[in-house]
Amino acid sequence: MYLKLKYLTCPKCAGHSTNGYSYGSENANVNCRCGHNYKAPFQYKTVDYPDVTILGETFKKLDVEKEIFYDENHNDAPFGVNVKIEFHKESHHYGRSETRYNATEFHYLHETFAFAEHSVAIESDIHRSGGTLDLSHIKSIVITKAIKKHKNH
């Protein structure tokens, strides 16, 4: 089973990173980070489900639902977990990595109205924050036990 990565390529800088876009159907009005504004159709690439490592156990091309819950009463991880995400280079995240700190809930293959495909929802009761990411943009996820409370999520 595969996912479809929906992306745009700026004709001026050849980058996939955008400040934002609005779209109706298959065309988008794009505001690229290079400053170029343009209208273009979306491009598609078939990608595998990401590899997911949860507390040292790796699941290759994980295509089943996973949920993790940690809270302040959980003795093994009182600070929750850190979730490191590596994105595909074609995504609007342009291949970068980011870490969501002190997550207390992790919902993999979470269905949401915001994305046509499956997504990942990461929440932190510690920081009172959370967010949802389109799964097709993610190359890999590594979840480790948090050892301290970070200043930002």
Side-chain angles (χ1 to χ4, degrees), residues 28-39:
N29 296 312
V30 184
N31 174 13
C32 184
R33 290 189 180 157
C34 73
H36 183 61
N37 295 314
Y38 63 98
K39 181 175 249 171

Side-chain angles (χ1 to χ4, degrees), residues 57-150:
E57 185 177 359
T58 300
F59 303 91
K60 295 285 188 185
K61 298 173 181 44
L62 185 62
D63 64 353
V64 296
E65 189 174 333
K66 287 276 186 193
E67 295 203 359
I68 298 174
F69 297 95
Y70 288 99
D71 60 23
E72 63 276 357
N73 298 322
H74 197 282
N75 293 333
D76 290 350
F79 298 110
V81 294
N82 295 332
V83 182
K84 183 177 181 183
I85 302 159
E86 183 182 345
F87 295 98
H88 289 288
K89 66 179 181 177
E90 293 87 2
S91 79
H92 66 274
H93 300 282
Y94 202 48
R96 69 179 170 82
S97 295
E98 69 178 46
T99 301
R100 305 284 176 98
Y101 296 102
N102 305 115
T104 53
E105 295 182 31
F106 173 80
H107 308 278
Y108 184 82
L109 287 183
H110 176 72
E111 291 194 31
T112 176
F113 66 89
F115 301 111
E117 297 288 339
H118 294 294
S119 60
V120 173
I122 303 166
E123 302 171 48
S124 174
D125 292 340
I126 296 167
H127 292 288
R128 295 188 178 116
S129 62
T132 306
L133 298 165
D134 186 334
L135 190 62
S136 68
H137 290 260
I138 300 172
K139 185 176 179 180
S140 68
I141 299 170
V142 177
I143 299 172
T144 56
K145 193 184 313 183
I147 57 172
K148 67 178 185 175
K149 181 179 176 182
H150 288 265

Side-chain angles (χ1 to χ4, degrees), residues 5-23:
L5 169 60
K6 186 177 191 179
Y7 68 99
L8 297 155
T9 303
C10 177
K12 186 174 181 181
C13 73
H16 304 293
S17 218
T18 60
N19 284 333
Y21 56 84
S22 59
Y23 58 92

